[in-house]
Amino acid sequence: MKCRVLVQLLLACAFVAAPRGAHAQTVVRGPYLQIGTPTSMTIVWRTDVASEGRVRYGESLAAMSGSADDSAVAVQHEVRITGLKPGTRYFYSVGTKSQALAGGDAAHAFRTSPTLGTRGPYRLWIVGDSGTGGSQQAAVRDAMLAHVGQSRPDLFLHMGDMAYNDGKDAEFQVGFFNMYQSILRDTVCWPTMGNHEGHSASSSTQSGPYYDAYVLPKAAEAGGLASGTEAYYSFDYANAHFVVLDSHDSPRSPTGAMLTWLKSDLAATSQPWVIAYWHHPPYTKGSHDSDTEGQLRDMRENALPILEAAGVDLVLGGHSHIYERSYLVQGAYATPTVAGNHIIDNGSGALDSSGGPYTKSGGAGAVYIVAGHGGTGVSRKGTHPLMFVTEAINGSTLVDIEGNVLRGRNVRFDGTVSDRFTLVKGDALVLSAPDGGESYTPGDPISVKWVTVGAAVAKVDVELSTDDGKTWTTVLSGITNSGSATFNAPAVDTQQARVRVRDSAQPSKVDGSDGAFTITSSAPRDVITFGDTWLYFDEGRDPGASWMDSGFDDKSWPSGAGQLGYGDNDEATKLFDASPNRPSVYFRKHITVDRAVAAAALRVLHDDGVAIWINGQRVFDRYIQGTDYASFATQTSNDNEISSATLDLTSQNPFVVGDNVIAVMVKQASATSSDLSFDLQLTLTLAPNTTQPDGGVADANPSVSDGSATDAGASDGAAASSDGTPKADDSGCSCSTPTTPSSALWLALLAVLALAWRRRRNRGPRPEARGPRPERG
Amino acid sequence: MRCRLASRLAALGLAVLVWGAAGSAARADAGFAARLRRLSERIEREPLRVDLFVARARLLLRARQPQLARHDIDRAARFAARSFAVRRVRVDLALALGRRRAALRLLDALVAEDGRAALWLARARLRLRLAQLRGAARDFERALEQGAGRPDDVLGYARLLQRLGRRSAAASALRRGLAWYGGAVALRLALIEVERARGHTDCALALVDAVMASAPVKTQWLLRRAELLASAGRLAEARRDRARALAAARAQLSRRPSALSRKLYARALRATRGER
Ligand SMILES: [Fe+2]
């Protein structure tokens, strides 16, 4: 910091001496966020030309009326905004007093930390040894972003080695700032120094590119006690206390300043969770060996006894280029490390395993993670006796905390989730599905799964939020606690759905999805499936020239389920098998869509030729030339041949909003062919709703908010059947044969519900679109 | 031309030596190996660059290969024996070889020529290890005057002054350190102890109160406060703080049932019972 001041002064002199206005000023680094607290945020950026700096901010883009200045004339700008509201989103821009140079858009926003002690949920992204600027680092970053979708991390914890090879300023730019810019502008990064940064920076003088880049607390600006140095520090977020140590360049002796501070800092925190990290891990057999290397050994022998005595829950590190995750362990300080009796729980910590999650009682036990796999080459010397998972594959780690439940997962560079564990303190319900990233269409059954830890729970409520947890509605109330339940996705378009399960008798015992999932009617959906019912006409004559039109009167046609045909003994509906064969058989089916069709694909099972019309427009044919009754197919098909096609809707879209008729002609290849077959599957993608329900199903009772939802009306239409039976399709598509009165009634009911939904929709879709990547492995 | 070729060959030979002998260190640290390789390649291309030899010597010292580092330092000294960087790294080499007195002689010469704080600090640390306490104190003072050093250096200096019986100077150094290092808790604890030893109870109490105000859990500070008050004979106030400490410890034990919480609770309990 002292050195930073000197640099600023020199730059100021340069600025005064230089001719002004030589070229337009540009932002060359950042903006990025530092020292986030419930009421303040520090915004840092660098310009190519020295100037004074100004941050403009506000709760909406339209009203960025707040401003804070950095009066020093410099290229590095560090502006602290104070007086903010906890847990609140602010948009911001950075620039000079006269103009904004960057930001002022939806991408430049931050959320202040929640009020101290808040139970969450919140998400940490843990990355180490990443700073190559190369493709593997980018792949690790992108895999995380794809995995989390809308549920972006709240904090970015960097384990060090973020600027290979020597932590120089230019290496920071390539290996850190350029690589993570889209994350750094909306997520506070809390780093610890790696040995590579230490090549160019000194903790003794708090100078060099590492200390120039970061603005870190040293006087307890974000909680904890004052360390007096940016080299090691602590901060609070929600219900966790984070301790960041310097294993590289600060004395690691038990009587040194760092560990003396650590003891006092830990004794002073009242936060339920304690998470500690530094660069050199206490346990590893990756590219480094914790049994033989000084810094790793020092931290294990000197820092761990202090941390574990204070009940540390999670200890993170990097340096060793590997992913390693321990069992629940305690007390392994000796060298070399042996498992001995230090493994408190030798299970996987996974929810679905027989051992279930790790549970902490009496403050004993911590999970250790080496996350040195963030981008550089990985390697492995062996298997550490305390590690449950070891894999030399690039990736990063996500940790989610909600109340007394902490969950970790490792996301490989290719998107595979290769490890999951859960750590619970006390009694809890722990939700395992849906976990975030899933995609449902309205009407789909949503399978909810959870685990009960500790005291038995008799009945639970299942709640749904469609606005990322702002409001909740009970979709299943007081059901028996069997560990799973199913309800149907409501008719909403949201990328911010979450589910939570709550003890009916003890509402504070609750756990929700770690990430948001999607419910969208704009996802492709099978509106006609094989086996569906069709009207048919097999009377051996021409039904009339307009038989394929939507207005044709088909009331007298009989109906039957697919497959329809004769001669193969696999038909659900046998058609008349005449001899000689009748050349053509006709089929019709009505479907209703309530929005424009954006894409359509079909698969048709046919024997022999087939032609398909939608509302009278011919869209597909196979082995057919003449479409008059008497013409035969142009050739013989395979038995039950299946043909697929994506319909071209660009030139002329045959679908209309409302009733649509699919008309199909199936032709025999000859008068003597033995069989005829037909079935069809139609997949439609409807245009997305242009409006979104506010609070999803909760808008049936808009006053309902977090924690108190008991809205019986929530189980309308598409939602909720406690027995798990899917209810009606409310995706905006429905199929029917018009001769079925009960279906018509159902359609009418859906229409009324759809209208009711629309009337309540008053908010536009989220600006950020995404394509959630399904989890692999 | 021949000279250039000879130096290239020498550099190449040393590089091979370095590679071979530093193999174990390289195997231990892939980053070290890569850095060593890069430096050696550059030395091969530019065998007259003193800074490259110095950089490689530093790297080898970090990898605990002082004999190999010595080759590079000697090589660099052939081109620039008076170079500050070469002489500075020779100090580290002497320390790595366990030759503290030689290191001190080298440092003395450097300090005499160049008054930069880092050198004072380095000599202060070395003198401390050589039990030259007064000289170490002088060097610390010079370094800290310039604002150099870590909280550890201030702590080391203050402890040294206390050993020399200079409590007042120790208190002064710690106060300066606290001002530089934003109220660092490690310095504050040391200063509280110094002020207690000096009989400045009110000063010590004020130091406790300042940090206690921002500590969510105050047990440790209330206990310290009670000790200070008791040793000053202010027993009623001490009793009150012990009671507050016990309540805070009990609450913390139920909130965070750790060994530390149990230990502080037991301490508070003992303190409360001991007073009866
Ligand atoms: Fe490292």
Side-chain angles (χ1 to χ4, degrees):
Chain A
M1 214 45 180
K2 284 185 291 292
C3 184
R4 197 182 289 159
V5 172
L6 188 66
V7 169
Q8 305 274 22
L9 281 171
L10 288 170
L11 289 166
C13 293
F15 175 65
V16 170
R20 296 187 191 204
H23 77 108
Q25 193 180 39
T26 55
V27 174
V28 295
R29 176 179 286 182
Y32 55 102
L33 307 173
Q34 297 277 269
I35 316 190
T37 78
T39 57
S40 69
M41 184 64 75
T42 298
I43 296 175
V44 186
W45 72 103
R46 186 185 284 186
T47 47
D48 58 343
V49 177
S51 70
E52 296 179 324
R54 172 168 289 181
V55 173
R56 295 164 179 84
Y57 62 95
E59 289 183 53
S60 76
L61 279 171
M64 298 203 339
S65 54
S67 72
D69 293 341
D70 175 12
S71 54
V73 175
V75 294
Q76 172 96 357
H77 307 277
E78 301 168 0
V79 176
R80 184 159 187 245
I81 309 172
T82 56
L84 303 176
K85 293 187 225 165
T88 304
R89 190 174 191 218
Y90 289 89
F91 298 90
Y92 71 94
S93 69
V94 300
T96 64
K97 287 181 178 170
S98 59
Q99 62 170 333
L101 297 171
D105 52 28
H108 290 77
F110 60 81
R111 189 175 292 282
T112 48
S113 306
T115 305
L116 199 66
T118 306
R119 71 191 308 279
Y122 54 97
R123 172 167 275 181
L124 321 173
W125 186 39
I126 296 143
V127 180
D129 304 78
S130 60
T132 63
S135 58
Q136 276 302 92
Q137 185 187 7
V140 168
R141 173 202 62 196
D142 295 341
M144 180 282 288
L145 289 172
H147 178 79
V148 302
Q150 297 261 310
S151 306
R152 292 274 295 269
D154 297 284
L155 302 176
F156 176 8
L157 313 184
H158 203 293
M159 302 296 113
D161 283 1
M162 66 269 295
Y164 288 116
N165 282 299
D166 298 312
K168 290 177 181 160
D169 195 75
E171 291 168 338
F172 261 96
Q173 195 63 42
V174 173
F176 187 77
F177 288 104
N178 293 351
M179 182 62 71
Y180 300 127
Q181 181 49 33
S182 69
I183 296 163
L184 296 170
R185 69 189 174 206
D186 63 16
T187 309
V188 179
C189 178
W190 299 92
T192 182
M193 189 169 84
N195 51 306
H196 285 268
E197 287 76 64
H199 294 163
S200 301
S202 162
S203 293
S204 181
T205 54
Q206 293 176 69
S207 63
Y210 173 86
Y211 288 99
D212 290 342
Y214 297 114
V215 182
L216 302 169
K218 54 184 187 179
E221 292 91 337
L225 297 187
S227 68
T229 168
E230 291 178 293
Y232 47 89
Y233 57 93
S234 64
F235 65 96
D236 291 319
Y237 186 92
N239 65 351
H241 182 65
F242 294 84
V243 171
V244 187
L245 302 179
D246 174 17
S247 58
H248 179 65
D249 200 25
S250 290
R252 300 176 292 274
S253 135
T255 56
M258 180 167 72
L259 298 189
T260 301
W261 161 79
L262 176 66
K263 283 177 219 160
S264 287
D265 181 79
L266 291 170
T269 186
S270 59
Q271 294 279 72
W273 293 100
V274 173
I275 296 171
Y277 58 98
W278 57 86
H279 185 60
H280 299 83
Y283 306 119
T284 184
K285 294 284 180 186
S287 63
H288 290 273
D289 186 339
S290 55
D291 286 336
T292 61
E293 297 177 44
Q295 287 134 319
L296 295 78
R297 187 174 167 163
D298 287 349
M299 295 306 285
R300 178 175 65 254
E301 294 178 353
N302 299 341
L304 289 199
I306 299 168
L307 283 158
E308 289 194 347
V312 69
D313 303 296
L314 185 63
V315 178
L316 312 166
H319 191 53
S320 196
H321 301 161
I322 195 162
Y323 174 73
E324 294 169 297
R325 195 267 291 172
S326 77
Y327 300 95
L328 188 69
V329 301
Q330 171 90 0
Y333 314 132
T335 303
T337 304
V338 292
N341 56 356
H342 300 303
I343 297 176
I344 295 175
D345 184 334
N346 65 0
S348 68
L351 285 177
D352 54 3
S353 71
S354 56
Y358 298 137
T359 55
K360 275 188 84 162
S361 58
V367 173
Y368 290 80
I369 292 176
V370 180
H373 58 333
T376 193
V378 287
S379 62
R380 173 178 187 170
K381 290 181 195 300
T383 303
H384 194 282
L386 299 185
M387 293 298 172
F388 174 73
V389 177
T390 303
E391 61 171 46
I393 299 171
N394 284 121
S396 63
T397 304
L398 289 165
V399 167
D400 293 280
I401 297 175
E402 182 172 6
N404 60 342
V405 178
L406 179 154
R407 278 185 283 186
R409 72 186 76 181
N410 183 58
V411 183
R412 288 182 187 159
F413 73 97
D414 62 0
T416 309
V417 174
S418 61
D419 180 34
R420 285 176 188 271
F421 71 93
T422 300
L423 179 57
V424 179
K425 291 184 175 186
D427 298 338
L429 291 170
V430 187
L431 188 91
S432 60
D435 194 31
E438 297 87 349
S439 186
Y440 302 94
T441 48
D444 279 352
I446 296 179
S447 173
V448 185
K449 293 179 181 166
W450 64 91
V451 168
T452 305
V453 177
V457 172
K459 303 274 185 189
V460 298
D461 302 333
V462 175
E463 300 171 341
L464 172 71
S465 170
T466 55
D467 57 6
D468 208 28
K470 289 188 194 74
T471 58
W472 294 88
T473 298
T474 305
V475 290
L476 300 171
S477 181
I479 60 170
T480 300
N481 178 20
S482 64
S484 66
T486 304
F487 69 96
N488 292 89
V492 295
D493 267 315
T494 178
Q495 296 182 327
Q496 296 187 310
R498 286 174 186 258
V499 160
R500 66 185 184 187
V501 59
R502 184 190 285 283
D503 182 345
S504 303
Q506 189 186 338
S508 64
K509 194 184 283 185
V510 59
D511 189 43
S513 313
D514 283 341
F517 57 88
T518 298
I519 302 172
T520 177
S521 53
S522 60
R525 184 165 176 78
D526 295 338
V527 296
I528 302 173
T529 59
F530 287 143
D532 273 2
T533 300
W534 290 79
L535 302 172
Y536 62 89
F537 184 80
D538 63 347
E539 294 181 7
R541 61 183 172 89
D542 188 342
S546 64
W547 75 270
M548 74 285 284
D549 293 344
S550 53
F552 178 77
D553 183 359
D554 54 18
K555 284 196 188 71
S556 62
W557 288 25
S559 67
Q563 178 191 137
L564 302 102
Y566 55 80
D568 294 332
N569 282 328
D570 59 353
E571 301 86 5
T573 302
K574 292 240 188 241
L575 302 182
F576 187 70
D577 184 5
S579 182
N581 286 329
R582 294 166 176 176
S584 303
V585 184
Y586 303 85
F587 305 90
R588 282 171 65 93
K589 186 170 185 66
H590 294 251
I591 63 166
T592 304
V593 296
D594 72 353
R595 292 197 301 281
V597 175
L602 60 80
R603 294 172 73 216
V604 59
L605 181 152
H606 56 98
D607 189 341
D608 292 286
V610 63
I612 302 171
W613 290 257
I614 294 170
N615 296 327
Q617 181 180 326
R618 188 156 151 188
V619 296
F620 179 81
D621 58 64
R622 191 85 171 155
Y623 311 142
I624 280 186
Q625 224 155 33
T627 55
D628 58 294
Y629 167 76
S631 296
F632 284 98
T634 54
Q635 69 171 81
T636 305
S637 71
N638 297 325
D639 279 342
N640 292 346
E641 184 166 327
I642 291 179
S643 298
S644 301
T646 299
L647 306 188
D648 177 13
L649 307 183
T650 50
S651 51
Q652 195 181 351
N653 190 334
F655 291 97
V656 295
V657 174
D659 183 52
N660 292 265
V661 172
I662 320 300
V664 181
M665 165 189 276
V666 175
K667 282 189 175 292
Q668 273 292 13
S670 69
T672 55
S673 167
S674 63
D675 55 353
L676 180 140
S677 307
F678 166 69
D679 208 346
L680 185 142
Q681 179 183 43
L682 179 64
T683 306
L684 298 184
T685 304
L686 300 187
N689 273 341
T690 51
T691 55
Q692 192 175 358
D694 187 5
V697 288
D699 65 358
N701 181 0
S703 65
V704 169
S705 64
D706 186 356
S708 59
T710 52
D711 176 21
S715 59
D716 62 5
S721 68
S722 61
D723 61 0
T725 310
K727 285 193 176 173
D729 174 356
D730 197 8
S731 63
C733 310
S734 60
C735 311
S736 72
T737 51
T739 51
T740 312
S742 62
S743 298
L745 199 62
W746 188 229
L747 250 183
L749 175 62
L750 290 175
V752 169
L753 286 170
L755 271 174
W757 284 120
R758 283 189 177 179
R759 212 171 293 156
R760 291 171 187 139
R761 286 167 188 161
N762 57 9
R763 200 174 59 184
R766 301 278 301 176
E768 252 181 281
R770 71 168 182 125
R773 178 192 290 210
E775 210 171 272
R776 299 182 208 174
Chain B
M1 198 64 174
R2 199 182 308 150
C3 174
R4 199 179 167 101
L5 184 66
S7 52
R8 280 187 178 218
L9 282 171
L12 188 63
L14 185 60
V16 170
L17 188 68
V18 162
W19 256 323
S24 60
R27 276 191 294 280
D29 182 347
F32 168 83
R35 202 163 139 74
L36 185 65
R37 190 176 57 248
R38 277 196 309 278
L39 267 173
S40 298
E41 284 165 2
R42 288 186 67 190
I43 286 171
E44 205 179 315
R45 286 196 303 273
E46 303 172 82
L48 302 178
R49 284 272 300 272
V50 171
D51 61 325
L52 295 180
F53 282 106
V54 170
R56 193 166 69 180
R58 287 208 181 104
L59 190 63
L60 289 164
L61 285 174
R62 269 208 294 271
R64 299 204 177 105
Q65 299 286 343
Q67 298 297 349
L68 288 171
R70 187 212 294 263
H71 281 282
D72 277 349
I73 294 168
D74 288 347
R75 183 91 199 144
R78 255 186 256 170
F79 306 120
R82 296 297 303 161
S83 150
F84 176 85
V86 174
R87 291 160 69 206
R88 181 66 187 82
V89 75
R90 224 182 248 295
V91 174
D92 293 337
L93 173 65
L95 288 172
L97 293 169
R99 298 168 55 197
R100 289 182 186 169
R101 297 208 171 269
L104 183 61
R105 278 195 301 278
L106 291 163
L107 261 181
D108 284 343
L110 287 172
V111 168
E113 290 172 26
D114 184 333
R116 71 182 79 177
L119 289 175
W120 292 108
L121 207 53
R123 195 170 70 175
R125 290 174 188 150
L126 180 54
R127 280 181 157 169
L128 201 56
R129 287 158 76 183
L130 289 166
Q132 298 180 1
L133 304 188
R134 287 177 199 287
R138 277 196 302 276
D139 287 351
F140 267 128
E141 185 61 29
R142 293 295 295 273
L144 298 177
E145 264 173 20
Q146 297 180 47
R150 299 178 273 230
D152 287 274
D153 293 310
V154 181
L155 267 187
Y157 178 43
R159 283 174 187 153
L160 173 59
L161 291 170
Q162 283 177 277
R163 280 169 71 187
L164 293 169
R166 296 170 57 193
R167 281 185 189 146
S168 171
S172 162
L174 287 166
R175 281 194 188 281
R176 272 185 294 160
L178 272 177
W180 289 327
Y181 296 113
V185 161
L187 301 183
R188 186 180 294 273
L189 284 165
L191 183 55
I192 290 167
E193 186 48 39
V194 172
E195 296 293 20
R196 186 202 60 75
R198 294 168 76 200
H200 295 181
T201 304
D202 286 335
C203 286
L205 286 172
L207 285 161
V208 170
D209 290 348
V211 66
M212 192 167 73
S214 65
V217 178
K218 305 183 193 304
T219 312
Q220 60 180 328
W221 303 104
L222 286 165
L223 286 171
R224 193 81 190 94
R225 215 173 182 283
E227 285 162 10
L228 290 167
L229 288 164
S231 66
R234 293 157 65 173
L235 300 182
E237 291 170 82
R239 197 157 33 245
R240 193 198 61 194
D241 279 350
R242 284 188 200 114
R244 288 168 66 198
L246 185 62
R250 191 178 287 127
Q252 176 75 340
L253 191 58
S254 68
R255 201 167 33 219
R256 290 190 52 76
S258 65
L260 178 63
S261 299
R262 284 190 290 277
K263 188 173 143 192
L264 281 170
Y265 179 69
R267 234 182 92 193
L269 206 57
R270 273 198 308 274
T272 329
R273 283 176 181 164
E275 77 192 10
R276 288 188 192 126

